[in-house]
Each structure stands twice: as C-alpha cells, then as structure tokens.
Amino acid sequence: CIKGKLRAHGGAATAEWSLEQQAEFPHVLLPLMLVLKTLLCQTKLHDPSQGGLGGYALLNMLVAFLRQQEAKGTSTQKDDLGRLLVGFLHKYGHEYEYDRMCISLEENDTTGEIRKEAAWWIPQRKQLPKQMQLHIQDPVCP
C-alpha cells in the first residue's frame, strides 16, 4: 500500500503537478507522504472507496500545509521533518475547521484554504454528513 513515488489519478497533467510539488518541497514532501500514508494504511483509513483518504487528497493537504508554513516564515527543510509531521497532524486533527473551510491550491495562494461559501465547485445542497465534510479543490482540474 506504500509506494515510493508520488502518483496521481488524473493522467499526465496531474502527474506533472505532483512532480512540480515534489520539486517545490524536494526534501520533505516525499518523506512526509510516506509516513502519513503508512499511518493511514495501518489504521485502514487509506481507501477512499471505504471513506478513507487517498494519496492525491493527502498530497493536496500536505502541499497546502507546507505552503502555509512557508508563508508564516517556518522552515520546511529536511531537518524539520518531525516538527512538520506533528504540525500537520495537529492542524488537520485538531485545528482545521472542516465545517467552514476547504482546501484550495489556487496559483499564488499561500493560505491553501478558502471558506466553503466561496468554494464554487461545491454544489449547493443540504448539510452533508460529518464523514463527507472534507472538500479539496483539484488544482489541476478546478
């Protein structure tokens, strides 16, 4: 279930985007992805068809987090892997407002998030069940 490459689901454009992100964060993206994917696999939370988090969604979350860290002036170098891992788990485990925010990796955006009201790609419908409240805009095919 763990692979040493960043792979994407949407063909060549998505694979190219994934490689661009790896170039943007060359020393931390792949190691953090491997650790997080391992955690997801060990807890059986890695399969999107079973309500889990897939690799491409995890990649988007991680890139959003790393961009936020850089925007705050926090180092994203290899010697900070432990701090980055704990920070990621804290953000998406305790701080992130799933009921109000979405992950969006628009170009030149360092926040990686927008309010759900501004997320044009989410159809207007009744309140979603709690297990469906993570929304991620695909950066390749918005």
Side-chain angles (χ1 to χ4, degrees):
C1 136
I2 303 301
K3 295 183 176 68
K5 294 182 181 175
L6 296 180
R7 294 231 265 270
H9 67 81
T14 305
E16 182 179 334
W17 182 85
S18 299
L19 291 173
E20 288 169 4
Q21 303 321 299
Q22 194 169 353
E24 185 176 345
F25 302 104
H27 303 294
V28 296
L29 189 60
L30 186 58
L32 288 171
M33 280 290 292
L34 290 173
V35 169
L36 291 166
K37 283 186 68 82
T38 299
L39 288 172
L40 289 171
C41 284
Q42 288 177 344
T43 56
K44 306 220 184 303
L45 295 172
H46 65 285
D47 186 356
S49 70
Q50 300 294 316
L53 187 64
Y56 187 60
L58 179 62
L59 174 62
N60 280 270
M61 293 172 72
L62 190 51
V63 168
F65 173 75
L66 292 171
R67 287 183 183 174
Q68 291 166 3
Q69 296 303 297
E70 284 192 338
K72 291 193 288 188
T74 306
S75 173
T76 57
Q77 298 304 311
K78 189 174 186 175
D79 56 343
D80 295 311
L81 280 170
R83 184 192 49 75
L84 290 169
L85 176 63
V86 170
F88 178 88
L89 294 171
H90 182 75
K91 175 170 182 68
Y92 291 110
H94 295 285
E95 292 179 352
Y96 194 75
E97 299 176 89
Y98 291 92
D99 57 334
R100 294 185 40 229
M101 302 301 287
C102 301
I103 295 171
S104 176
L105 297 171
E106 294 284 329
E107 247 182 90
N108 302 318
D109 178 23
T110 58
T111 65
E113 301 173 0
I114 62 171
R115 296 179 67 74
K116 279 194 177 174
E117 299 85 50
W120 56 268
W121 72 90
I122 300 174
Q124 298 299 319
R125 56 184 151 185
K126 295 180 182 176
Q127 180 67 28
L128 295 171
K130 287 218 182 269
Q131 67 269 24
M132 294 181 64
Q133 289 189 349
L134 174 61
H135 292 281
I136 303 173
Q137 180 184 17
D138 187 338
V140 175
C141 304

